[in-house]
Amino acid sequence: LATVVQKWGGSTLKNVEDVKAVAARVLARQRAGDRVVVVASALKGETDKLVAMAKAITETPDLREYDSMISVGEQVSTALLAIAIQEQGGKARSMLGFQVPIKTDQAYKDARIEDINADTIRKLLDEGHIVVVAGFQGIDCDGNITTLGRGGTDTTAVAVAAALQADLCEIYKEVDGISTTDPHIEPRARRLDRISHEEVLELASLGAKVLMIRAVEMAMKHGVTIHVRPETGEGLGTLVVKGDQEMEEIIVSGIALDRNQSKLTVIRVPDQPGVAAALFRPLADANISVDMIIQNVSESGHTDVSFTVRKEDRARARKLAEAAARELGSERVATDDNIAKVSVVGLGMRSHAGVAAQMFEALSKGGINIQMISTSEIKVSAVVDEKYGELAVRLLHETFQLDQPRPRVKKPAKAKGKQKR
Ligand code: ASP
Ligand code: MG
């Protein structure tokens, strides 16, 4: 008997007809022999409506009340689903965050799940129920309702799967699965059968917006296999799994484009100890995350420092950088919003050299100038002029042959084969 957690999001639950259709799908799954937990988010648009109501009164609502209010959409959708399942002859029970309970920290609006007691869910499953858990919400140690950040139902689903030690967490989406790149940019993008948690994290944090980052982090930590599936039920979707050796044979899995960054350059700062610290400490204290940093070659004891932040943080970052720049005696701070970051991601980079060189050659052939570069164990990123971002993605997609069935690299034969258990 397999235990499956299925996440159904707002885009798959537009109205009562969708609720009935999902109920039928869930019931069919149970009748096929699985124990099924559904984690649902609010019906499409409902959370937005709740947010708008609060914001119509003030832009800065008290966050305790705000969470109490914007979590309501899930109370409706989960109860509706339970009613629909019952109406179709099944046993179902809806559960809100506090009823499970799903315990979180006290960071309203963006709370993190700390602990889930899955005993009640387990008991209900044992009794033959389909359990419908409200996504996106939890309860803090004082009994206040919290929410997990917009789109947080993915995280709830993975956390419930981890707590239940479920065999699978299925996340239904309006897409076929996870692709080699955004098909709007490169129509030859291919659906990936499998991808590792780490690669998805790189792709998601790079703006590929596949799954909520926290959900993938949690899945990685607890070893939860996520199956991203098209809501239609047709098509194989993509399995997000723990990376293994076979996956390391694939050098590049995907290409991401992030247009949501700005570049700031602090011009002519003294090249001496403590300068970078003086510049980046205030940004860190203001909770602004800095992505790429480069420091130019020093000329006559002075240097330029460039870094990127998210566009929404640019104004604040500029103020802080200007203050620091004045202290340091720098000339000025220049900003550039017209940049894009292109990244190639793949587990195989760990064991194969030359990806960066191949990437830079492709960009150079396309006449695209690289402004900044950064690398990690499984990623190479380059900042380019925004107007060439999409072109860069297409060139790289072609260069790494991502439109072909995934090329595998032959590993040198090992002395002894791997023991099969
Ligand atoms: N209903 C919430 C939102 O719209 C949570 C979710 O969709 O996952 O953000
Ligand atoms: Mg939603």
Side-chain angles (χ1 to χ4, degrees):
L1 222 62
T3 302
V4 178
V5 175
Q6 295 192 340
K7 183 254 176 170
W8 292 90
S11 58
T12 60
L13 293 169
K14 289 184 280 300
N15 47 41
V16 174
E17 285 314 306
D18 282 356
V19 170
K20 290 201 269 185
V22 168
R25 294 276 294 281
V26 170
L27 256 175
R29 185 62 169 264
Q30 189 197 39
R31 287 183 180 139
D34 289 334
R35 290 152 62 94
V36 188
V37 176
V38 178
V39 178
S41 62
L43 299 195
K44 188 178 172 83
E46 290 304 314
T47 311
D48 287 339
K49 266 188 229 161
L50 296 166
V51 169
M53 271 197 265
K55 296 268 162 97
I57 297 177
T58 167
E59 272 301 318
T60 52
D62 178 82
L63 292 179
R64 178 189 182 275
E65 307 311 328
Y66 181 76
D67 272 8
S68 201
M69 177 176 179
I70 67 166
S71 59
V72 167
E74 278 72 11
Q75 181 159 353
V76 175
S77 62
T78 48
L80 261 181
L81 262 167
I83 290 169
I85 293 166
Q86 290 163 0
E87 193 55 28
Q88 294 175 31
K91 281 172 90 173
R93 179 79 76 83
S94 69
M95 295 189 90
L96 297 172
F98 79 87
Q99 292 171 318
V100 172
I102 297 176
K103 300 223 171 96
T104 73
D105 63 16
Q106 298 194 290
Y108 294 119
K109 203 167 160 278
D110 204 21
R112 278 181 189 265
I113 295 176
E114 286 177 342
D115 182 51
I116 296 184
N117 183 334
D119 290 349
T120 312
I121 297 180
R122 234 178 250 121
K123 180 165 162 283
L124 288 166
L125 289 173
D126 289 343
E127 293 165 4
H129 286 90
I130 289 168
V131 184
V132 188
V133 176
F136 176 56
Q137 56 173 261
I139 186 170
D140 73 9
C141 55
D142 293 328
N144 300 303
I145 293 169
T146 54
T147 65
L148 308 180
R150 297 303 308 271
T153 305
D154 284 1
T155 313
T156 307
V158 172
V160 167
L164 281 170
Q165 295 180 298
D167 298 276
L168 196 59
C169 179
E170 298 182 336
I171 298 193
Y172 288 87
K173 295 260 158 186
E174 53 310 9
V175 296
D176 288 345
I178 297 175
S179 303
T180 49
T181 195
D182 182 349
H184 298 293
I185 298 175
E186 173 49 90
R188 285 181 298 172
R190 292 168 52 94
R191 178 187 57 81
L192 296 162
D193 290 327
R194 292 204 314 160
I195 187 167
S196 68
H197 295 120
E198 291 154 282
E199 288 167 313
V200 175
L201 275 180
E202 292 287 9
L203 290 168
S205 60
L206 293 166
K209 296 182 232 116
V210 214
L211 292 168
M212 228 219 173
I213 291 182
R214 270 191 201 169
V216 185
E217 280 170 353
M218 182 151 338
M220 181 154 123
K221 184 162 160 218
H222 298 281
V224 175
T225 297
I226 299 177
H227 192 181
V228 180
R229 302 188 64 180
E231 57 182 316
T232 57
E234 281 149 36
L236 296 173
T238 301
L239 282 172
V240 184
V241 299
K242 193 163 167 280
D244 58 25
Q245 227 186 339
E246 190 192 328
M247 300 181 84
E248 289 210 16
E249 288 174 23
I250 293 148
I251 303 181
V252 173
S253 292
I255 300 185
L257 181 64
D258 182 359
R259 288 182 256 229
N260 188 33
Q261 294 214 359
S262 290
K263 183 170 80 171
L264 291 89
T265 304
V266 187
I267 296 171
R268 270 183 74 83
V269 286
D271 189 9
Q272 64 193 37
V275 167
L279 203 52
F280 292 107
R281 167 50 63 196
L283 296 171
D285 289 345
N287 233 327
I288 296 174
S289 69
V290 173
D291 185 16
M292 289 183 161
I293 301 175
I294 53 168
Q295 179 175 325
N296 288 342
V297 188
S298 163
E299 220 182 80
S300 60
H302 285 82
T303 178
D304 297 346
V305 178
S306 295
F307 59 95
T308 64
V309 297
R310 284 183 308 192
K311 276 200 174 114
E312 69 214 61
D313 289 333
R314 194 250 293 128
R316 282 194 310 140
R318 178 172 189 151
K319 259 203 196 126
L320 294 167
E322 276 172 348
R326 267 194 302 277
E327 296 267 301
L328 294 168
S330 137
E331 245 167 46
R332 65 192 174 93
V333 177
T335 56
D336 183 357
D337 281 344
N338 301 318
I339 59 162
K341 184 167 86 169
V342 198
S343 307
V344 301
V345 173
L347 227 49
M349 284 183 208
R350 277 191 191 140
S351 42
H352 297 91
V355 175
Q358 222 180 324
M359 174 180 185
F360 303 153
E361 273 159 19
L363 294 176
S364 121
K365 266 192 212 135
I368 300 174
N369 186 41
I370 299 171
Q371 303 178 13
M372 299 169 102
I373 295 166
S374 75
T375 64
S376 80
E377 213 191 358
I378 64 165
K379 173 192 78 179
V380 184
S381 305
V383 168
V384 301
D385 189 325
E386 187 174 29
K387 64 175 181 273
Y388 299 123
E390 297 200 355
L391 174 64
V393 169
R394 287 192 287 268
L395 281 171
L396 295 170
H397 200 265
E398 166 107 58
T399 299
F400 293 104
Q401 300 178 343
L402 295 181
D403 53 338
Q404 319 275 330
R406 306 183 78 177
R408 284 170 194 274
V409 175
K410 281 251 156 62
K411 288 242 166 167
K414 291 222 179 80
K416 265 189 200 148
K418 238 183 26 181
Q419 293 278 119
K420 280 229 174 90
R421 274 187 298 167

